Short mmCIF file of all heavy atoms in Angstrom, two decimals:
data_model
loop_
_atom_site.label_atom_id
_atom_site.label_comp_id
_atom_site.label_asym_id
_atom_site.label_seq_id
_atom_site.Cartn_x
_atom_site.Cartn_y
_atom_site.Cartn_z
N LYS A 912 -19.55 145.30 55.09
CA LYS A 912 -20.03 144.00 54.65
C LYS A 912 -21.43 144.09 54.08
O LYS A 912 -21.72 143.51 53.02
CB LYS A 912 -20.01 143.01 55.83
CG LYS A 912 -20.45 141.61 55.46
CD LYS A 912 -20.36 140.68 56.68
CE LYS A 912 -20.82 139.27 56.32
NZ LYS A 912 -20.75 138.37 57.51
N PHE A 913 -22.31 144.85 54.74
CA PHE A 913 -23.69 144.98 54.26
C PHE A 913 -23.72 145.66 52.90
O PHE A 913 -24.40 145.19 51.98
CB PHE A 913 -24.52 145.77 55.25
CG PHE A 913 -25.95 145.97 54.81
CD1 PHE A 913 -26.91 145.01 55.10
CD2 PHE A 913 -26.33 147.10 54.08
CE1 PHE A 913 -28.22 145.18 54.68
CE2 PHE A 913 -27.63 147.26 53.66
CZ PHE A 913 -28.59 146.30 53.96
N VAL A 914 -23.01 146.77 52.75
CA VAL A 914 -23.01 147.49 51.48
C VAL A 914 -22.43 146.62 50.38
O VAL A 914 -22.96 146.57 49.26
CB VAL A 914 -22.21 148.81 51.60
CG1 VAL A 914 -22.05 149.47 50.24
CG2 VAL A 914 -22.92 149.76 52.57
N SER A 915 -21.37 145.89 50.67
CA SER A 915 -20.72 145.04 49.66
C SER A 915 -21.64 143.93 49.18
O SER A 915 -21.62 143.54 48.01
CB SER A 915 -19.44 144.43 50.23
OG SER A 915 -18.50 145.43 50.55
N GLN A 916 -22.50 143.44 50.07
CA GLN A 916 -23.39 142.34 49.72
C GLN A 916 -24.67 142.80 49.01
O GLN A 916 -25.22 142.07 48.18
CB GLN A 916 -23.78 141.56 50.98
CG GLN A 916 -22.63 140.77 51.58
CD GLN A 916 -23.02 140.08 52.87
OE1 GLN A 916 -24.03 140.43 53.50
NE2 GLN A 916 -22.24 139.11 53.30
N SER A 917 -25.13 144.01 49.30
CA SER A 917 -26.45 144.41 48.82
C SER A 917 -26.44 145.57 47.84
O SER A 917 -27.44 145.81 47.16
CB SER A 917 -27.33 144.79 50.01
OG SER A 917 -26.75 145.88 50.72
N GLU A 918 -25.36 146.30 47.75
CA GLU A 918 -25.30 147.47 46.89
C GLU A 918 -24.02 147.42 46.07
O GLU A 918 -22.94 147.24 46.63
CB GLU A 918 -25.36 148.76 47.72
CG GLU A 918 -26.65 148.89 48.53
CD GLU A 918 -26.51 149.81 49.74
OE1 GLU A 918 -25.41 150.34 49.97
OE2 GLU A 918 -27.50 149.98 50.45
N GLU A 919 -24.13 147.55 44.75
CA GLU A 919 -22.95 147.46 43.90
C GLU A 919 -22.01 148.62 44.17
O GLU A 919 -21.28 148.60 45.13
CB GLU A 919 -23.39 147.41 42.43
CG GLU A 919 -24.14 146.13 42.07
CD GLU A 919 -23.28 144.88 42.24
OE1 GLU A 919 -22.08 144.93 41.92
OE2 GLU A 919 -23.80 143.85 42.72
N TYR A 920 -22.05 149.66 43.38
CA TYR A 920 -21.29 150.84 43.75
C TYR A 920 -22.19 152.06 43.70
O TYR A 920 -23.15 152.12 42.92
CB TYR A 920 -20.03 151.02 42.90
CG TYR A 920 -20.25 151.39 41.46
CD1 TYR A 920 -20.28 152.72 41.04
CD2 TYR A 920 -20.41 150.40 40.49
CE1 TYR A 920 -20.46 153.05 39.71
CE2 TYR A 920 -20.59 150.72 39.16
CZ TYR A 920 -20.62 152.05 38.76
OH TYR A 920 -20.81 152.38 37.46
N LEU A 921 -21.91 153.02 44.58
CA LEU A 921 -22.79 154.16 44.79
C LEU A 921 -22.16 155.43 44.26
O LEU A 921 -20.96 155.66 44.44
CB LEU A 921 -23.08 154.32 46.28
CG LEU A 921 -23.59 153.07 47.02
CD1 LEU A 921 -23.67 153.35 48.51
CD2 LEU A 921 -24.94 152.64 46.50
N ILE A 922 -22.98 156.26 43.62
CA ILE A 922 -22.52 157.58 43.21
C ILE A 922 -23.49 158.61 43.77
O ILE A 922 -24.66 158.32 43.99
CB ILE A 922 -22.40 157.72 41.67
CG1 ILE A 922 -23.75 157.46 40.98
CG2 ILE A 922 -21.35 156.77 41.13
CD1 ILE A 922 -23.71 157.69 39.48
N TRP A 923 -22.99 159.82 44.01
CA TRP A 923 -23.72 160.84 44.74
C TRP A 923 -23.88 162.11 43.93
O TRP A 923 -22.97 162.55 43.24
CB TRP A 923 -23.00 161.17 46.05
CG TRP A 923 -22.44 159.98 46.75
CD1 TRP A 923 -21.22 159.41 46.58
CD2 TRP A 923 -23.10 159.17 47.73
NE1 TRP A 923 -21.07 158.32 47.40
CE2 TRP A 923 -22.21 158.15 48.11
CE3 TRP A 923 -24.37 159.24 48.33
CZ2 TRP A 923 -22.54 157.19 49.06
CZ3 TRP A 923 -24.68 158.28 49.29
CH2 TRP A 923 -23.78 157.27 49.63
N ASN A 924 -25.03 162.73 44.04
CA ASN A 924 -25.26 164.05 43.48
C ASN A 924 -25.77 164.93 44.62
O ASN A 924 -26.95 164.94 44.93
CB ASN A 924 -26.28 163.99 42.34
CG ASN A 924 -26.49 165.33 41.67
OD1 ASN A 924 -25.74 166.29 41.91
ND2 ASN A 924 -27.51 165.42 40.84
N THR A 925 -24.85 165.64 45.25
CA THR A 925 -25.17 166.40 46.45
C THR A 925 -26.07 167.59 46.13
O THR A 925 -25.78 168.37 45.23
CB THR A 925 -23.89 166.92 47.12
OG1 THR A 925 -22.96 165.84 47.26
CG2 THR A 925 -24.20 167.50 48.49
N LYS A 926 -27.14 167.72 46.90
CA LYS A 926 -28.05 168.85 46.73
C LYS A 926 -27.66 170.03 47.61
O LYS A 926 -27.72 171.18 47.20
CB LYS A 926 -29.49 168.42 47.03
CG LYS A 926 -30.53 169.48 46.73
CD LYS A 926 -31.95 168.93 46.87
CE LYS A 926 -32.98 170.00 46.52
NZ LYS A 926 -34.37 169.47 46.64
N ASP A 927 -27.25 169.73 48.84
CA ASP A 927 -26.84 170.80 49.74
C ASP A 927 -26.06 170.20 50.91
O ASP A 927 -26.00 168.98 51.08
CB ASP A 927 -28.04 171.59 50.26
CG ASP A 927 -27.67 173.01 50.70
OD1 ASP A 927 -26.47 173.34 50.64
OD2 ASP A 927 -28.57 173.74 51.11
N ALA A 928 -25.48 171.09 51.70
CA ALA A 928 -24.67 170.67 52.84
C ALA A 928 -24.69 171.76 53.89
O ALA A 928 -25.06 172.90 53.63
CB ALA A 928 -23.23 170.39 52.39
N GLY A 929 -24.29 171.39 55.08
CA GLY A 929 -24.15 172.36 56.17
C GLY A 929 -22.99 171.96 57.05
O GLY A 929 -22.64 170.78 57.14
N VAL A 930 -22.37 172.94 57.70
CA VAL A 930 -21.25 172.67 58.60
C VAL A 930 -21.42 173.47 59.88
O VAL A 930 -22.13 174.48 59.91
CB VAL A 930 -19.89 173.00 57.96
CG1 VAL A 930 -19.64 172.12 56.74
CG2 VAL A 930 -19.81 174.48 57.58
N SER A 931 -20.77 173.03 60.93
CA SER A 931 -20.84 173.71 62.23
C SER A 931 -19.93 174.92 62.26
O SER A 931 -19.03 175.09 61.43
CB SER A 931 -20.44 172.74 63.34
OG SER A 931 -19.07 172.40 63.22
N ASN A 932 -20.15 175.76 63.24
CA ASN A 932 -19.30 176.94 63.42
C ASN A 932 -17.84 176.56 63.67
O ASN A 932 -16.93 177.29 63.29
CB ASN A 932 -19.80 177.79 64.58
CG ASN A 932 -21.11 178.48 64.25
OD1 ASN A 932 -21.46 178.67 63.09
ND2 ASN A 932 -21.85 178.88 65.28
N ALA A 933 -17.64 175.41 64.33
CA ALA A 933 -16.28 174.96 64.63
C ALA A 933 -15.65 174.19 63.48
O ALA A 933 -14.46 173.86 63.53
CB ALA A 933 -16.28 174.10 65.89
N GLY A 934 -16.44 173.87 62.46
CA GLY A 934 -15.91 173.16 61.32
C GLY A 934 -15.60 171.70 61.57
O GLY A 934 -14.83 171.08 60.83
N ASP A 935 -16.22 171.11 62.60
CA ASP A 935 -15.94 169.71 62.94
C ASP A 935 -17.16 168.81 62.76
O ASP A 935 -17.09 167.61 63.02
CB ASP A 935 -15.44 169.61 64.38
CG ASP A 935 -16.48 170.06 65.40
OD1 ASP A 935 -17.43 170.77 65.01
OD2 ASP A 935 -16.34 169.71 66.59
N PHE A 936 -18.26 169.37 62.32
CA PHE A 936 -19.51 168.62 62.13
C PHE A 936 -20.13 169.10 60.81
O PHE A 936 -20.15 170.30 60.53
CB PHE A 936 -20.47 168.89 63.29
CG PHE A 936 -21.82 168.22 63.17
CD1 PHE A 936 -22.09 167.05 63.85
CD2 PHE A 936 -22.83 168.76 62.36
CE1 PHE A 936 -23.35 166.44 63.75
CE2 PHE A 936 -24.07 168.16 62.26
CZ PHE A 936 -24.33 166.98 62.96
N GLY A 937 -20.61 168.16 60.01
CA GLY A 937 -21.25 168.53 58.76
C GLY A 937 -22.27 167.51 58.32
O GLY A 937 -22.32 166.39 58.85
N TYR A 938 -23.08 167.90 57.37
CA TYR A 938 -24.04 166.97 56.78
C TYR A 938 -24.19 167.29 55.30
O TYR A 938 -24.01 168.43 54.87
CB TYR A 938 -25.39 167.02 57.49
CG TYR A 938 -26.10 168.37 57.39
CD1 TYR A 938 -26.98 168.64 56.34
CD2 TYR A 938 -25.87 169.37 58.33
CE1 TYR A 938 -27.62 169.88 56.24
CE2 TYR A 938 -26.49 170.61 58.24
CZ TYR A 938 -27.37 170.85 57.20
OH TYR A 938 -27.98 172.08 57.10
N THR A 939 -24.49 166.26 54.53
CA THR A 939 -24.74 166.40 53.11
C THR A 939 -25.97 165.57 52.76
O THR A 939 -26.23 164.54 53.39
CB THR A 939 -23.55 165.91 52.27
OG1 THR A 939 -23.20 164.57 52.66
CG2 THR A 939 -22.34 166.81 52.44
N TYR A 940 -26.71 166.00 51.76
CA TYR A 940 -27.85 165.20 51.31
C TYR A 940 -28.09 165.46 49.83
O TYR A 940 -27.64 166.46 49.26
CB TYR A 940 -29.10 165.50 52.13
CG TYR A 940 -29.63 166.91 51.98
CD1 TYR A 940 -30.55 167.23 50.96
CD2 TYR A 940 -29.24 167.93 52.84
CE1 TYR A 940 -31.04 168.52 50.82
CE2 TYR A 940 -29.72 169.22 52.70
CZ TYR A 940 -30.62 169.50 51.69
OH TYR A 940 -31.11 170.78 51.54
N GLY A 941 -28.82 164.52 49.21
CA GLY A 941 -29.12 164.67 47.79
C GLY A 941 -29.69 163.40 47.20
O GLY A 941 -30.31 162.60 47.91
N ILE A 942 -29.45 163.21 45.92
CA ILE A 942 -29.94 162.05 45.18
C ILE A 942 -28.75 161.29 44.63
O ILE A 942 -27.78 161.89 44.14
CB ILE A 942 -30.86 162.47 44.01
CG1 ILE A 942 -32.03 163.31 44.53
CG2 ILE A 942 -31.38 161.23 43.27
CD1 ILE A 942 -32.98 162.59 45.45
N GLY A 943 -28.79 159.98 44.71
CA GLY A 943 -27.69 159.17 44.20
C GLY A 943 -28.19 157.95 43.44
O GLY A 943 -29.40 157.77 43.24
N LYS A 944 -27.23 157.12 43.04
CA LYS A 944 -27.57 155.90 42.31
C LYS A 944 -26.72 154.74 42.81
O LYS A 944 -25.53 154.90 43.10
CB LYS A 944 -27.32 156.09 40.81
CG LYS A 944 -28.24 157.08 40.13
CD LYS A 944 -27.93 157.20 38.64
CE LYS A 944 -28.85 158.20 37.96
NZ LYS A 944 -28.53 158.33 36.51
N SER A 945 -27.35 153.58 42.91
CA SER A 945 -26.66 152.33 43.17
C SER A 945 -26.63 151.58 41.84
O SER A 945 -27.67 151.19 41.31
CB SER A 945 -27.40 151.51 44.23
OG SER A 945 -26.77 150.25 44.42
N ILE A 946 -25.44 151.40 41.31
CA ILE A 946 -25.29 150.88 39.95
C ILE A 946 -24.78 149.45 39.98
O ILE A 946 -23.71 149.16 40.51
CB ILE A 946 -24.35 151.77 39.12
CG1 ILE A 946 -24.89 153.21 39.09
CG2 ILE A 946 -24.17 151.21 37.71
CD1 ILE A 946 -23.99 154.19 38.40
N ALA A 947 -25.58 148.56 39.41
CA ALA A 947 -25.20 147.17 39.25
C ALA A 947 -25.02 146.87 37.76
O ALA A 947 -25.22 147.74 36.91
CB ALA A 947 -26.26 146.24 39.85
#
């Protein structure tokens, strides 16, 4: 609900990521755009 009300649509440009040894946990980060 919050995203729908305040942010149009989001696109992502991932800079890097990491995953756990078990492959069940991960993270991604980078720069993106909210386009209205």
Side-chain angles (χ1 to χ4, degrees):
K912 182 179 179 181
F913 179 87
V914 173
S915 297
Q916 291 176 342
S917 61
E918 299 157 359
E919 293 298 321
Y920 69 93
L921 308 173
I922 59 175
W923 319 88
N924 184 10
T925 311
K926 187 172 182 179
D927 204 358
V930 297
S931 66
N932 289 339
D935 63 341
F936 177 100
Y938 63 91
T939 53
Y940 65 88
I942 304 295
K944 293 181 180 179
S945 176
I946 302 175

